[in-house]
Amino acid sequence: MKLYQADASPFVRKVRVLLHETGQYDDVEHVPVQITPVSPDAAVSAANPLGKIPALERPDGPAIYDSRVICRYLDARKGAGLYPEARIWETLTLEATADGIMEAAVLMVYEARVRPEEKRFDGWIDAQWTKAIGAVNTINARWMSHLHGPLDAAHIAVACALGYLDFRHGDRDWRSANGPLAAWYAEFSARPSMQATVPG
């Protein structure tokens, strides 16, 4: 298998953490790429017509993309149980919430880094942060019992989302109003899979 990736991407990190957690990391060739919404990569676009990462080429079918699809595939391939049927809708909803945090946080970066300065819109950046921090607050208020349960894909997604907030938006404080989640993240981020995938 071949994974198109950029180490800074929280969506890629989610896949890489899952690979570590399921013992499949060395089954994949990790192909680094550099892309933005305005500078696609030909190999990535061949694997994913949307031109986004992560994208996974696999031997038993066409390439697959979107981190949630890739994580489901890799979980099924190993039979790892990170999408447990007993709480599948909770796991998928919490994973989607974490992915929404990632998406909003990435859009904030793109607005400042990719858009020409004269076209940047601070209101757009603020609106994305409102979405991200609102989701963080909701996880802290509603989902801590799930996060303290058995490991599943949602745990990985939440941890990668919070790690990306620290990585790209460290000047914004998500912790002070979310003490239980901050404590959970401090413990989870010490896992070997998280330590091995810290963006540089």
Side-chain angles (χ1 to χ4, degrees):
M1 295 183 289
K2 183 181 293 186
L3 180 68
Y4 294 99
Q5 65 179 60
D7 290 349
S9 165
F11 298 102
V12 168
R13 189 182 188 192
K14 184 172 69 161
V15 173
R16 295 175 68 217
V17 169
L18 187 141
L19 285 169
H20 278 289
E21 292 284 350
T22 60
Q24 299 181 84
Y25 197 84
D26 292 337
D27 294 346
V28 173
E29 177 187 353
H30 299 263
V31 181
V33 295
Q34 292 185 336
I35 62 172
T36 72
V38 296
S39 58
D41 177 271
V44 172
S45 295
N48 176 0
L50 299 172
K52 295 181 177 182
I53 54 173
L56 182 72
E57 291 183 355
R58 57 197 178 118
D60 56 347
I64 57 176
Y65 43 89
D66 186 280
S67 63
R68 275 179 274 184
V69 175
I70 295 172
C71 285
R72 286 295 295 266
Y73 170 78
L74 293 170
D75 178 71
R77 179 179 184 265
K78 193 69 171 182
L82 294 177
Y83 290 91
E85 282 300 319
R87 56 184 193 281
I88 188 61
W89 302 117
E90 292 81 5
T91 300
L92 292 175
T93 300
L94 185 52
E95 183 184 15
T97 303
D99 283 1
I101 295 170
M102 297 180 202
E103 182 179 355
V106 168
L107 288 174
M108 291 169 68
V109 172
Y110 283 157
E111 183 72 12
R113 184 175 294 178
V114 177
R115 192 180 297 277
E117 186 172 358
E118 68 276 8
K119 295 183 179 180
R120 292 175 192 165
F121 179 28
D122 289 341
W124 169 263
I125 294 174
D126 292 341
Q128 299 310 313
W129 179 250
T130 297
K131 294 177 185 179
I133 195 61
V136 169
N137 295 342
T138 297
I139 293 172
N140 185 74
R142 299 181 187 173
W143 291 98
M144 293 312 303
S145 61
H146 186 103
L147 291 177
H148 286 299
L151 176 69
D152 63 29
H155 294 71
I156 294 170
V158 170
C160 291
L162 297 176
Y164 190 75
L165 294 184
D166 284 348
F167 177 54
R168 291 298 193 202
H169 305 293
D171 58 330
R172 296 177 183 262
D173 176 23
W174 64 265
R175 285 177 171 80
S176 61
N178 295 291
L181 183 59
W184 173 86
Y185 175 67
E187 181 178 350
F188 194 91
S189 62
R191 295 176 73 91
S193 62
M194 292 291 289
Q195 292 294 306
T197 57
V198 173

